[in-house]
Amino acid sequence: MKQEEAVYDIDERPDLGSWLALSLQHLFAMFGATILVPFLTGLSPAVALVASGTGTLAYLLITRGKVPAYLGSSFAFIYPITQISESAGVAGAMVGSFLAGIVYGVASLLIMAFGVNWLTKLLPPVVVGPVIMVIGLGLATTAVDMAMYEPGSDNVYSTIHIITAFVTLGATIISMVFFRGIFRLIPILIGIFTGYTFALFNGIVDTTSIREEWQAWTSSESVGGFLQAFFQTPDFLLPFVDYSPFSVLSLEIALVMMPFALVTLAEHIGDQMVLSKVTGRNFLKNPGLDRTILGDGTATMLASMMGGPPNTTYGENVGVLAVTRVFSVFVIGLAAVFAILFGWIGMVTVLISSIPQAVMGGVSILLFGVIAASGLRMMVDHNVDLGDNRNLVITSVVLVLGVGGAFIKLSQNVEFGGMALAAFVGVLLNLILPRSDEQKEQRSLFDEEDIA
């Protein structure tokens, strides 16, 4: 496939001025989505930024500096983190995230040993597509509740809050549809900024913490005092320091979290294919899918050990690569360093924390819908024929079990349900239901020539 010439290739380093500007561009591209996940799950945005940067650096190291991918907070894990946090606390969610990273590691070893065909059979589009739809649709009520109701109230309707949500949503949509260049790649950030400004003028932004932080800056009488006020330690949640992982580890956590890793594995492969096409290289072959998956899993485990959400490669940053034709891993690496630094700046945390719930609700209405639509798109792209009874059965059962919240009670305290049950049943149905010759010839999630 003929590619346009790269402005900076993967192993090339730009001059200092261009390097800084290009890295900041990547930072802004991932910023809105990365802070949204911890905001929705009750985790620390500052920790999420540090985890994002650290995970990206680890990924670049494991892939030997051959894949210019940036990693940020994964939307696929919003649901399980929220569910586990309610029953086992944030510590339980972090243990679950670590287990998800282990699934990535096991998959990497299996691919190294046996190739990738087993993953093709286990996770075909007819299973993965509906499961991704369940992830988005399962979060729909969360987005609408955030948009409609006053924060902290028992479902008290608020006109100004839902108007704020629609202003935010409108700005995000306009950015996605009508803007061009870099502005089209940061719709979440533009939407949040617009909604925040509208909310500020309508008096629903609590600026108390911002004023206190500013006061701490301006009242410092020495450089040391200013730096102490400027830099603040993120609220890390460290295993064996803040909690004992083995005391919160349970079968329920494993059953809720680990199936999500199988779904994000399929998303990871798709991201690598897109990235390969953008850069004109075959990353599934060199450095290899086993290394890219291991890098993703390592980033997720590192994030869990800090108290941050699982990480995944970001489509927003792939879009930046496609527009700028700058593939340099040095640019990605510096963006990761900037993310880590931002996590230690107190004012950044304070500003993020002051964003009204309605603003995040407005953005979430679109984002959760996009997740669901991406599952549908996967099925369309891979020619999944719902006129065929086999495909119709699998899709229908997965959707109803997942969105309906069905669960199996394994014991008094252990339930296996929701998306995890839906994914398991989908995989099981796909393995046992007979396929016609035409179905056997349907495209898999990735074609053999992509990994040859």
CSV table of all heavy atoms in Angstrom, one decimal, residues 122-133 262-263 266-267 375 378-379 445:
chain,number,residue,atom,x,y,z
A,122,LEU,N,-12.0,-17.8,18.9
A,122,LEU,CA,-12.7,-17.5,20.2
A,122,LEU,C,-13.4,-16.2,20.2
A,122,LEU,O,-14.5,-16.1,20.8
A,122,LEU,CB,-11.6,-17.4,21.3
A,122,LEU,CG,-12.0,-17.4,22.8
A,122,LEU,CD1,-12.7,-18.7,23.2
A,122,LEU,CD2,-10.9,-17.0,23.7
A,123,LEU,N,-12.9,-15.2,19.4
A,123,LEU,CA,-13.5,-13.9,19.4
A,123,LEU,C,-13.9,-13.4,18.0
A,123,LEU,O,-13.3,-12.5,17.5
A,123,LEU,CB,-12.6,-12.9,20.1
A,123,LEU,CG,-12.3,-13.2,21.5
A,123,LEU,CD1,-11.2,-12.2,22.0
A,123,LEU,CD2,-13.5,-13.0,22.4
A,124,PRO,N,-14.8,-14.0,17.3
A,124,PRO,CA,-15.2,-13.6,16.0
A,124,PRO,C,-16.1,-12.3,16.1
A,124,PRO,O,-16.6,-12.0,17.2
A,124,PRO,CB,-16.1,-14.7,15.4
A,124,PRO,CG,-16.7,-15.3,16.7
A,124,PRO,CD,-15.6,-15.2,17.7
A,125,PRO,N,-16.3,-11.6,15.0
A,125,PRO,CA,-17.0,-10.3,15.0
A,125,PRO,C,-18.5,-10.5,15.6
A,125,PRO,O,-19.0,-9.6,16.2
A,125,PRO,CB,-17.0,-9.9,13.6
A,125,PRO,CG,-15.8,-10.5,13.0
A,125,PRO,CD,-15.6,-11.8,13.7
A,126,VAL,N,-19.1,-11.7,15.3
A,126,VAL,CA,-20.5,-11.9,15.7
A,126,VAL,C,-20.6,-12.0,17.2
A,126,VAL,O,-21.7,-11.8,17.8
A,126,VAL,CB,-21.0,-13.2,15.1
A,126,VAL,CG1,-20.4,-14.4,15.7
A,126,VAL,CG2,-22.5,-13.2,15.2
A,127,VAL,N,-19.5,-12.2,17.9
A,127,VAL,CA,-19.4,-12.2,19.4
A,127,VAL,C,-19.0,-10.9,19.9
A,127,VAL,O,-19.6,-10.3,20.8
A,127,VAL,CB,-18.6,-13.4,19.9
A,127,VAL,CG1,-18.4,-13.2,21.5
A,127,VAL,CG2,-19.1,-14.7,19.6
A,128,VAL,N,-17.8,-10.4,19.4
A,128,VAL,CA,-17.2,-9.2,19.9
A,128,VAL,C,-18.1,-8.0,19.7
A,128,VAL,O,-18.3,-7.1,20.5
A,128,VAL,CB,-15.8,-9.0,19.3
A,128,VAL,CG1,-15.2,-7.7,19.8
A,128,VAL,CG2,-14.9,-10.1,19.7
A,129,GLY,N,-18.7,-7.9,18.5
A,129,GLY,CA,-19.5,-6.7,18.1
A,129,GLY,C,-20.7,-6.5,19.1
A,129,GLY,O,-20.8,-5.4,19.7
A,130,PRO,N,-21.5,-7.5,19.4
A,130,PRO,CA,-22.6,-7.3,20.3
A,130,PRO,C,-22.1,-7.0,21.8
A,130,PRO,O,-22.8,-6.3,22.5
A,130,PRO,CB,-23.4,-8.7,20.3
A,130,PRO,CG,-23.1,-9.2,18.9
A,130,PRO,CD,-21.7,-8.8,18.6
A,131,VAL,N,-21.0,-7.7,22.1
A,131,VAL,CA,-20.5,-7.4,23.5
A,131,VAL,C,-20.0,-5.9,23.6
A,131,VAL,O,-20.3,-5.3,24.7
A,131,VAL,CB,-19.3,-8.4,23.8
A,131,VAL,CG1,-18.6,-7.9,25.1
A,131,VAL,CG2,-19.8,-9.8,23.9
A,132,ILE,N,-19.4,-5.4,22.6
A,132,ILE,CA,-19.0,-4.0,22.7
A,132,ILE,C,-20.3,-3.1,22.7
A,132,ILE,O,-20.3,-2.1,23.4
A,132,ILE,CB,-18.2,-3.6,21.4
A,132,ILE,CG1,-16.8,-4.3,21.5
A,132,ILE,CG2,-18.0,-2.1,21.4
A,132,ILE,CD1,-16.0,-4.1,20.3
A,133,MET,N,-21.3,-3.5,22.0
A,133,MET,CA,-22.6,-2.8,22.1
A,133,MET,C,-23.2,-2.8,23.5
A,133,MET,O,-23.7,-1.8,24.0
A,133,MET,CB,-23.6,-3.4,21.1
A,133,MET,CG,-23.2,-3.2,19.6
A,133,MET,SD,-24.3,-4.1,18.5
A,133,MET,CE,-25.8,-3.2,18.7
A,262,LEU,N,-10.8,-9.9,27.4
A,262,LEU,CA,-10.9,-10.6,26.1
A,262,LEU,C,-11.5,-9.7,25.0
A,262,LEU,O,-11.1,-9.7,23.9
A,262,LEU,CB,-11.8,-11.8,26.3
A,262,LEU,CG,-11.3,-12.9,27.2
A,262,LEU,CD1,-12.3,-14.0,27.3
A,262,LEU,CD2,-10.0,-13.5,26.6
A,263,VAL,N,-12.5,-8.8,25.4
A,263,VAL,CA,-13.1,-7.9,24.5
A,263,VAL,C,-12.1,-6.8,24.1
A,263,VAL,O,-11.9,-6.5,22.9
A,263,VAL,CB,-14.3,-7.3,25.0
A,263,VAL,CG1,-14.9,-6.3,24.1
A,263,VAL,CG2,-15.4,-8.3,25.4
A,266,ALA,N,-9.5,-7.8,21.4
A,266,ALA,CA,-10.0,-7.7,20.0
A,266,ALA,C,-9.9,-6.2,19.6
A,266,ALA,O,-9.4,-5.9,18.5
A,266,ALA,CB,-11.4,-8.1,19.9
A,267,GLU,N,-10.2,-5.3,20.5
A,267,GLU,CA,-10.0,-3.8,20.2
A,267,GLU,C,-8.6,-3.5,19.9
A,267,GLU,O,-8.2,-2.7,19.0
A,267,GLU,CB,-10.6,-3.0,21.3
A,267,GLU,CG,-12.1,-3.1,21.4
A,267,GLU,CD,-12.7,-2.1,22.5
A,267,GLU,OE1,-12.2,-2.1,23.6
A,267,GLU,OE2,-13.6,-1.4,22.2
A,375,GLY,N,-19.4,-1.3,18.1
A,375,GLY,CA,-19.7,-2.7,18.0
A,375,GLY,C,-20.6,-3.0,16.8
A,375,GLY,O,-20.3,-4.0,16.1
A,378,MET,N,-18.4,-2.8,13.7
A,378,MET,CA,-17.6,-4.0,13.6
A,378,MET,C,-18.3,-5.1,12.9
A,378,MET,O,-17.8,-5.8,12.0
A,378,MET,CB,-17.1,-4.5,15.0
A,378,MET,CG,-16.3,-5.8,14.9
A,378,MET,SD,-15.8,-6.4,16.5
A,378,MET,CE,-14.4,-5.2,16.8
A,379,MET,N,-19.6,-5.3,13.2
A,379,MET,CA,-20.4,-6.3,12.6
A,379,MET,C,-20.6,-6.0,11.1
A,379,MET,O,-20.6,-6.9,10.3
A,379,MET,CB,-21.7,-6.5,13.3
A,379,MET,CG,-21.6,-6.9,14.8
A,379,MET,SD,-23.1,-7.0,15.7
A,379,MET,CE,-23.9,-8.4,14.8
A,445,LEU,N,-11.7,-11.1,12.6
A,445,LEU,CA,-11.4,-9.8,13.0
A,445,LEU,C,-10.1,-9.2,12.4
A,445,LEU,O,-9.9,-8.0,12.2
A,445,LEU,CB,-11.1,-9.8,14.6
A,445,LEU,CG,-12.4,-9.8,15.4
A,445,LEU,CD1,-12.0,-10.1,16.9
A,445,LEU,CD2,-13.2,-8.5,15.3
